[in-house]
């Protein structure tokens, strides 16, 4: 039998001394940090073969809630699965024990629903001998609380699982906490997307912004327009079939993650032109010859009949209430080279102002999305170019240094905003760039507190795919994106970089032990039990 610290006070002192030397190994490294945490020095043992995660007796989500059943199984495995195989079953039974985690949902359950922007993710967690209680209004909060509970459990130096008695209440600071993946520059296999969703759940992200298609390839297999991916994908094996998409949606839903598809137009659309005739604008050379194609052709009625059908499909395939419409970086040169477009401009009285043509186009697309009862998200150019937006259109701020000023303008015009400008994770440099993501405060601009709270709905870490595919996506994203995850979840007052560093080192090793190939933060090593499976 292994010695028990609770039976041997002398040994306890030794352990405390060890704890003081290596705090990261001895204290729970919660990430992101909850809004209120109270940890007591009382330690409880947890034995894998005795411990149960169960529905609380008063829960409105009983055993017929598959979403929670799945989550209980998953989190049991995160806590014990790997270690059990490494150490064999524990036979360490002395001292105070934790036998159960009872999970209760107090409002009517949402087991079959998809999460939304207004999903309640709050929870409270009370860990005490012999039963811990996790309470949430909705299943979404229960998912977040299970993650936190799993992060409280750690192995002591004898390999026994322990947890401090503690009390936590928690809720996110921002409702929209996203990761952008780009499946056009490089196709990402399903396995990579699933791993990304796993890691997102470990960091309490709740939006997968799926930049599905772009100039380079069109991997989305449309049922209405199959030629788009037949001709526009890199190859017929580089497509997402309807069943692939369905699997991503379900995998995400079970982790409380929304999937927002982006179909970026009118620019960034070269790949669309391969499978759909007359959609793109012919660009003319100086010698008045058609030499290539440019953005979507906004002057043809067929363009809009196409998009009506296309977005009707998208709005039924993707359950989320929002569709991202892109709208960034439109090439006006091609439009201005085309005599038919010039004529159209004249007829409409747009003069030489191509932002007016852009507005004309985007407004029609926004109307289509509205008629499908969906909300729209656009990149900031659409706002900058003074396109007439719907009152509920969300503007994603992505450009350069002046993003706080842009946030001020967007919100003072009454629009909702998402921030991604400081979080372009595709841009890499030597050293700990997570720190620069961490110190951002999205609300650090002039404006009424009320407006800020209402209108800045969150942010996104973006990993554009020019130099990223299945070989390097996970290590490039994690743990760098974790910094953004904590910024978007934790209270604004959680800003201590040293404290964050020591928690993040452990959190990164925890991700590694859960099969996420998160790259190191700096020199050092993970504990034995935190090594990568495989
Ligand atoms: C957990 O309990 C141990 C043992 O009493 C104590 O050393 C440690 O500081 C506690 N952790 C926290 C975060 O308070
Ligand atoms: C369940 O509800 C009963 C009656 O309202 C209450 O006495 C009990 O404390 C509740 N149990 C839990 C675990 O919340
Ligand atoms: C395009 O639609 C507009 C408005 O419905 C209509 O006035 C115009 O004649 C149509 N153009 C063509 C070429 O069909």
């Amino acid at each position: 039998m292994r010695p028990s610290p609770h039976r041997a006070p002398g040994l306890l002192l030794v352990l405390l001394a060890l704890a003081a030397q290596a705090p990261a190994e001895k204290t729970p490294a919660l990430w992101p940090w909850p809004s209120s945490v109270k940890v007591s020095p009382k330690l409880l043992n947890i034995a894998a073969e005795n411990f149960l995660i169960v529905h609380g007796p008063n829960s409105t989500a009983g055993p017929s809630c598959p979403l929670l059943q799945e989550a209980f199984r998953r989190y049991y495995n995160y806590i014990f699965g790997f270690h059990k195989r490494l150490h064999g079953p524990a036979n360490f039974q002395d001292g105070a024990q934790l036998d159960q985690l009872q999970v209760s949902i107090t409002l009517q359950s949402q087991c079959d629903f998809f999460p939304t922007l207004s999903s309640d993710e709050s929870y409270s967690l009370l860990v005490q001998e012999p039963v811990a209680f996790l309470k949430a209004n909705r299943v979404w909060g229960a998912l977040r609380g299970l993650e936190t509970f799993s992060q409280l459990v750690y192995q002591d130096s004898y390999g026994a699982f322990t947890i401090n008695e503690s009390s936590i209440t928690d809720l996110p600071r921002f409702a929209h906490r996203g990761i952008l993946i780009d499946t056009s520059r490089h196709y990402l296999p399903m396995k990579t997307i699933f791993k990304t969703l796993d890691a997102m759940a470990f960091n309490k992200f709740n939006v997968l912004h799926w930049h599905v298609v772009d100039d380079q390839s069109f991997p989305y297999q449309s049922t209405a327009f199959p030629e788009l991916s037949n001709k526009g994908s890199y190859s017929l094996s580089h497509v997402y079939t309807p069943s692939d998409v369905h699997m991503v949606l379900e995998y995400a839903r079970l982790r409380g993650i929304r999937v927002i598809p982006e179909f970026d137009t009118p620019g960034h659309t070269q790949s669309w032109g391969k499978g759909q005739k007359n959609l793109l604008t012919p660009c003319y050379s100086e010698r008045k010859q058609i030499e290539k194609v440019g953005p979507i052709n906004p002057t043809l009625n067929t363009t809009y009949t196409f998009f009506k059908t296309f977005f009707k499909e998208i709005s039924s395939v993707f359950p989320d209430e929002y569709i991202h419409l892109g709208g960034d970086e439109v090439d006006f040169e091609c439009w201005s080279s085309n005599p038919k477009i010039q004529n159209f401009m004249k007829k409409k009285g747009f003069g030489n102002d191509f932002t007016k043509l852009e507005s004309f186009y985007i407004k029609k697309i926004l109307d289509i999305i509205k008629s499908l009862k969906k909300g729209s998200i656009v990149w900031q150019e659409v706002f900058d170019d003074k396109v007439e937006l719907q009152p509920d259109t969300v503007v994603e701020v992505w450009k350069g240094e002046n993003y706080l000023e842009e946030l001020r303008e967007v919100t003072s015009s009454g629009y909702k905003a998402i921030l991604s400008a400081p979080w372009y994770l595709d841009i890499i440099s030597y050293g700990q760039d997570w720190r620069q993501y961490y110190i951002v405060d999205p609300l650090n601009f002039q404006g009424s507190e009320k407006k800020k709270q209402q209108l800045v709905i969150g942010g996104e870490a973006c990993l554009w795919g020019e130099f990223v595919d299945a070989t390097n996506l996970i290590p490039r994203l994690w743990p760098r994106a974790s910094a953004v995850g904590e910024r978007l979840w934790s209270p604004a007052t959680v800003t201590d970089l040293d404290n964050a560093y020591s928690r993040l080192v452990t959190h990164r090793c925890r991700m590694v032990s859960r099969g996420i190939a998160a790259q190191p933060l700096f020199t050092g090593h993970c504990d034995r039990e935190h090594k990568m499976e495989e």
Side-chain angles (χ1 to χ4, degrees):
M1 199 184 80
R2 273 167 284 182
S4 156
H6 301 285
R7 285 228 175 133
L11 186 61
L12 177 60
L13 288 177
V14 173
L15 287 178
L16 286 173
L18 283 174
Q21 279 164 15
E25 288 170 29
K26 295 292 167 193
T27 57
L30 300 177
W31 194 280
W33 191 253
S35 56
S36 157
V37 182
K38 287 189 198 106
V39 182
S40 115
K42 181 166 178 188
L43 268 187
L44 308 177
N45 296 307
I46 306 189
E49 64 280 10
N50 294 340
F51 186 72
L52 294 173
I53 305 178
V54 294
H55 292 281
N58 297 347
S59 183
T60 61
S64 66
C65 182
L67 181 143
L68 283 180
Q69 293 301 126
E70 265 287 307
F72 292 177
R73 191 189 52 73
R74 219 165 48 237
Y75 277 98
Y76 183 89
N77 280 332
Y78 291 144
I79 296 169
F80 303 111
F82 170 61
H83 304 279
K84 223 164 56 175
R85 263 171 283 146
L86 199 69
H87 297 284
N91 52 12
F92 174 71
Q93 296 294 317
D94 303 299
Q97 290 279 330
L98 186 66
D99 299 331
Q100 280 192 6
L101 172 63
Q102 290 190 0
V103 181
S104 296
I105 310 301
T106 51
L107 296 178
Q108 207 180 345
S109 100
Q110 294 181 330
C111 295
D112 305 327
F113 289 26
F114 282 87
T116 68
L117 179 61
S118 54
S119 285
D120 182 346
E121 296 172 288
S122 66
Y123 66 91
S124 66
L125 184 58
L126 180 64
V127 180
Q128 59 183 19
E129 187 189 5
V131 175
F133 298 100
L134 169 58
K135 281 195 191 151
N137 293 324
R138 301 293 191 184
V139 291
W140 318 116
L143 293 175
R144 304 299 169 240
L146 282 165
E147 176 59 38
T148 301
F149 179 82
S150 75
Q151 295 187 3
L152 283 169
V153 179
Y154 62 102
Q155 281 190 292
D156 70 13
S157 22
Y158 302 98
F161 293 102
T162 48
I163 187 168
N164 289 63
E165 282 204 341
S166 33
S167 161
I168 290 176
T169 56
D170 201 9
L171 82 175
R173 181 178 174 206
F174 294 103
H176 181 117
R177 305 178 307 279
I179 297 284
L180 177 147
I181 57 167
D182 169 2
T183 54
S184 173
R185 275 56 180 256
H186 285 96
Y187 179 82
L188 297 173
M190 296 291 282
K191 191 178 162 202
T192 305
I193 298 178
F194 293 150
K195 284 271 178 209
T196 303
L197 291 165
D198 285 340
M200 286 173 67
F202 303 155
N203 290 273
K204 297 190 169 75
F205 278 95
N206 66 356
V207 176
L208 181 72
H209 174 167
W210 190 355
H211 187 86
V212 192
V213 304
D214 205 296
D215 285 329
Q216 287 78 4
S217 75
F218 198 105
Y220 172 79
Q221 190 180 80
S222 161
T223 42
F225 301 102
E227 288 304 293
L228 287 171
S229 63
N230 285 346
K231 302 258 168 65
S233 63
Y234 281 132
S235 87
L236 293 183
S237 56
H238 293 94
V239 298
Y240 301 103
T241 65
S243 110
D244 291 338
V245 171
H246 179 79
M247 278 192 280
V248 170
L249 293 170
E250 183 60 8
Y251 199 93
R253 185 185 80 84
L254 291 174
R255 287 155 184 77
I257 297 172
R258 302 160 58 202
V259 178
I260 298 182
E262 178 182 351
F263 288 92
D264 189 359
T265 71
H268 289 279
T269 47
Q270 290 291 304
S271 69
W272 300 62
K274 297 183 178 149
Q276 183 66 20
K277 276 211 189 87
N278 298 326
L279 189 61
L280 302 185
T281 309
C283 323
Y284 287 70
S285 67
E286 295 203 352
R287 282 184 285 155
K288 307 278 179 234
Q289 276 160 347
I290 298 179
E291 53 170 16
K292 55 176 187 172
V293 283
I296 300 285
N297 190 337
T299 65
L300 302 178
N301 289 355
T302 50
T303 292
Y304 303 103
T305 42
F306 166 80
F307 276 116
K308 261 181 211 152
T309 310
F310 182 77
F311 278 121
K312 188 166 183 220
E313 171 184 327
I314 297 308
S315 70
S316 74
V317 168
F318 291 88
D320 201 78
E321 66 213 297
Y322 286 95
I323 297 175
H324 201 303
L325 300 173
D328 58 321
E329 301 179 313
V330 186
D331 173 13
F332 293 155
E333 230 167 81
C334 175
W335 278 349
S336 73
S337 75
N338 183 308
K340 286 188 181 150
I341 302 238
Q342 290 162 5
N343 269 343
F344 185 86
M345 297 274 292
K346 220 173 278 162
K347 230 172 60 196
K348 292 278 176 194
F350 292 165
N352 218 11
D353 184 355
F354 284 90
T355 64
K356 291 204 169 123
L357 183 59
E358 180 192 17
S359 300
F360 170 86
Y361 168 80
I362 303 242
K363 185 171 177 336
K364 280 180 172 283
I365 299 295
L366 288 172
D367 287 343
I368 291 172
I369 300 302
K370 190 178 170 69
S371 75
L372 295 165
K373 308 225 171 347
K374 294 279 185 174
S376 42
I377 307 178
V378 293
W379 295 107
Q380 75 176 72
E381 286 96 321
V382 176
F383 170 80
D384 296 343
D385 291 347
K386 314 242 168 350
V387 176
E388 189 187 324
L389 303 176
Q390 307 283 357
D392 59 348
T393 301
V394 179
V395 178
E396 181 157 10
V397 173
W398 71 275
K399 278 182 155 178
E401 302 287 304
N402 288 329
Y403 58 84
L404 288 173
E405 174 57 19
E406 180 82 6
L407 279 177
R408 193 192 62 74
E409 284 174 24
V410 170
T411 54
S412 67
S413 307
Y415 295 108
K416 290 202 176 86
I418 295 169
L419 178 64
S420 55
W423 297 318
Y424 267 38
L425 271 54
D426 52 305
I427 300 168
I428 51 174
S429 58
Y430 186 79
Q432 298 192 38
D433 53 3
W434 69 272
R435 290 170 186 267
Q436 98 204 18
Y437 309 138
Y438 192 78
I439 60 176
V440 168
D441 190 337
L443 301 189
N444 188 19
F445 59 88
Q446 298 290 318
S448 84
E449 283 309 310
K450 196 168 150 233
K451 265 205 168 149
K452 288 183 191 179
Q453 302 294 341
Q454 276 173 357
L455 296 178
V456 180
I457 60 173
E460 292 183 348
C462 300
L463 193 61
W464 295 101
E466 285 86 351
F467 302 95
V468 174
D469 69 5
T471 63
N472 62 352
L473 179 134
I474 296 291
R476 189 156 296 188
L477 198 48
W478 309 106
R480 296 162 76 226
S482 303
V484 183
E486 176 150 305
R487 182 52 55 237
L488 294 173
W489 177 280
S490 302
T493 49
V494 177
T495 53
D496 184 327
L497 275 166
D498 293 337
N499 176 284
Y501 177 77
S502 74
R503 283 183 293 116
L504 192 52
V505 166
T506 306
H507 182 57
R508 177 257 163 176
C509 288
R510 180 165 50 222
M511 286 196 276
V512 170
S513 74
R514 294 179 182 184
I516 304 298
Q519 72 181 11
L521 287 153
F522 191 48
T523 57
H525 71 100
C526 291
D527 292 345
R528 198 161 63 99
E529 65 269 22
H530 276 152
K531 289 233 176 77
M532 187 95 173
E533 253 182 293
E534 305 294 16

